[in-house]
Amino acid sequence: MGTSSLCSDHVRGRQVDFQAYLDEKRKLIDKALDEYLPQESEPPEIIHRAMRSALFPGGKRLRPILALAAVEIVGSDSQKVLPTACALELIHTYSLVHDDLPALDNDDERRGRPSCHKAFGEDIAILAGDALLTLAFDLLSRNGEMEGVKKEATLVIIGEIARAIGTRGMIGGQVDDLKSATESTKHVEKKAFKLEEVTQQQIESIHRRKTARLIEVCLKAGAILGGGSQREIEALSGYGQSIGLAFQIVDDILDAQGGEKREVTYPALFGLEKSKQKLAQLIKEAKSQLFIFGEKGKILEEVADFIMNRGI
Ligand code: GRG
């Protein structure tokens, strides 16, 4: 069975075996990542060991799965966008490695294991993050050489991804998040705004850039590289925006329930009940974008439910 038919095969049945779909996609992504990453034995060994250790074993692989699902929904073969899907996971992993550093979140653990700087030292963790990001753009450009992928579409996507994760996207959102934290670094104006002054608009702007832009661009990349129509690209991007915001709210609810006290979050500002209502509304909005795809949109409906129900 070809990968292109996977999505439609799954949705044709009365019951979508969502878990099997996720597992199959994760296997595909992990195999491709393993092929694209330099071997640990390649000098300088330590950087390649650090990169691989940050990537394997992986997390949910949500971002590349979204890209592959978007390609399939617009009726194309997801195999041909595997380099882009892997690039999106490399970018996500770089952001986690850097976010865990002592200068940022100072987390000793990631996915139940020592974080990259704990295992390899800060110097190598910084460089491993840089190397993951650099390799991502190598893969993005190489995707243009795959059969059935238009070079212009590849160029468009490289720009879209760069903007989604730059200072007007993920990095900008992270900087504003830092500014709003009590313990900000000496480089950032301390306590730039007070908690009571943080509006819903400000918090959504941070979430949109810090978390949702990358998730949105995963869907957009799949839709554009898969040759989707303008209407399909817009619908999938809209879906991505909504689940991206929902994803961050879930993460903040989980942190709040785990006793973590972060200030500029939905639960801290609006309480748990209102946060859950907002979450449900975002999931509803996300699903409403999928109606143009009919049955083919079922997988992404399941992804939206998966995000909403994750541990809450
Ligand atoms: C430091 C460059 C840089 C960016 C910082 C994205 C980000 C901005 C930091 C990562 C930490 C964070 C709290 C991100 C919010 C999004 C989030 C909850 C990421 C965790 O993603 P999952 O749950 O992770 O998909 P897995 O382990 O499944 O891959």
Side-chain angles (χ1 to χ4, degrees), residues 241-255:
Q241 270 182 32
S242 298
I243 60 157
L245 285 175
F247 189 85
Q248 184 61 57
I249 292 178
V250 172
D251 206 58
D252 289 340
I253 292 176
L254 289 173
D255 282 350

Side-chain angles (χ1 to χ4, degrees), residues 60-95:
K60 294 178 285 301
R61 305 292 196 218
L62 174 70
R63 293 153 190 82
I65 290 176
L66 286 170
L68 299 182
V71 181
E72 292 172 359
I73 281 174
V74 300
S76 197
D77 180 354
S78 59
Q79 285 283 351
K80 65 186 185 194
V81 302
L82 264 176
T84 296
C86 289
L88 291 159
E89 184 66 13
L90 294 182
I91 290 168
H92 165 60
T93 309
Y94 125 78
S95 80

Side-chain angles (χ1 to χ4, degrees), residues 59-63 89 92 94-96 98-99 104 110-111 170-171 174 210-211 247-248 251 310:
K60 294 178 285 301
R61 305 292 196 218
L62 174 70
R63 293 153 190 82
E89 184 66 13
H92 165 60
Y94 125 78
S95 80
L96 298 180
H98 280 189
D99 195 57
L104 289 164
R110 169 68 53 189
R111 300 179 186 136
M170 184 174 78
I171 290 177
Q174 177 70 5
K210 187 178 94 164
T211 308
F247 189 85
Q248 184 61 57
D251 206 58
R310 188 167 67 102

Side-chain angles (χ1 to χ4, degrees), residues 50-309:
M51 290 163 79
R52 282 182 168 269
S53 158
L55 273 168
F56 303 111
K60 294 178 285 301
R61 305 292 196 218
L62 174 70
R63 293 153 190 82
I65 290 176
L66 286 170
L68 299 182
V71 181
E72 292 172 359
I73 281 174
V74 300
S76 197
D77 180 354
S78 59
Q79 285 283 351
K80 65 186 185 194
V81 302
L82 264 176
T84 296
C86 289
L88 291 159
E89 184 66 13
L90 294 182
I91 290 168
H92 165 60
T93 309
Y94 125 78
S95 80
L96 298 180
V97 168
H98 280 189
D99 195 57
D100 287 341
L101 286 167
L104 289 164
D105 257 15
N106 194 18
D107 276 321
D108 290 354
E109 281 195 13
R110 169 68 53 189
R111 300 179 186 136
R113 295 165 60 227
S115 45
C116 194
H117 65 275
K118 277 283 152 190
F120 296 92
E122 273 182 59
D123 46 5
I124 293 299
I126 292 169
L127 292 168
D130 292 342
L132 290 164
L133 177 62
T134 310
L135 180 59
F137 279 90
D138 179 19
L139 290 185
L140 290 172
S141 75
R142 280 200 264 158
N143 209 150
E145 286 150 29
M146 302 276 284
E147 213 183 303
V149 175
K150 291 208 174 87
K151 289 221 165 27
E152 313 87 81
T154 307
L155 271 181
V156 168
I157 283 309
I158 292 174
E160 289 280 351
I161 292 176
R163 286 185 287 279
I165 65 173
T167 54
R168 290 174 177 156
M170 184 174 78
I171 290 177
Q174 177 70 5
V175 171
D176 282 346
D177 202 18
L178 278 183
K179 275 202 309 191
S180 65
T182 319
E183 300 276 329
S184 59
T185 69
K186 63 180 184 288
H187 305 292
V188 179
E189 199 186 332
K190 197 156 179 140
K191 203 76 176 154
F193 40 81
K194 293 197 178 74
L195 185 59
E196 58 272 22
E197 290 164 5
V198 178
T199 63
Q200 181 161 347
Q201 227 178 2
Q202 281 167 319
I203 202 169
E204 280 191 11
S205 161
I206 290 176
H207 288 182
R208 196 172 293 286
R209 288 172 290 145
K210 187 178 94 164
T211 308
R213 285 289 306 276
L214 179 59
I215 290 178
E216 180 191 349
V217 88
C218 293
L219 289 135
K220 200 169 193 177
I224 291 179
L225 293 175
S229 68
Q230 194 53 37
R231 189 163 173 241
E232 289 174 326
I233 294 166
E234 278 166 21
L236 287 168
S237 300
Y239 166 87
Q241 270 182 32
S242 298
I243 60 157
L245 285 175
F247 189 85
Q248 184 61 57
I249 292 178
V250 172
D251 206 58
D252 289 340
I253 292 176
L254 289 173
D255 282 350
Q257 286 172 337
E260 207 174 297
K261 286 193 171 47
R262 290 187 57 243
E263 285 186 337
V264 186
T265 67
Y266 245 89
L269 254 70
F270 307 110
L272 221 51
E273 256 338 284
K274 217 173 159 208
S275 302
K276 287 184 181 176
Q277 280 168 17
K278 175 71 184 171
L279 175 61
Q281 182 203 329
L282 284 165
I283 296 296
K284 198 170 156 204
E285 279 168 25
K287 287 182 181 177
S288 74
Q289 297 282 350
L290 300 174
F291 83 97
I292 63 165
F293 300 106
E295 271 296 287
K296 280 196 295 174
K298 193 82 187 143
I299 282 290
L300 289 184
E301 272 186 34
E302 302 253 5
V303 172
D305 287 332
F306 170 74
I307 288 173
M308 181 163 80
N309 299 325

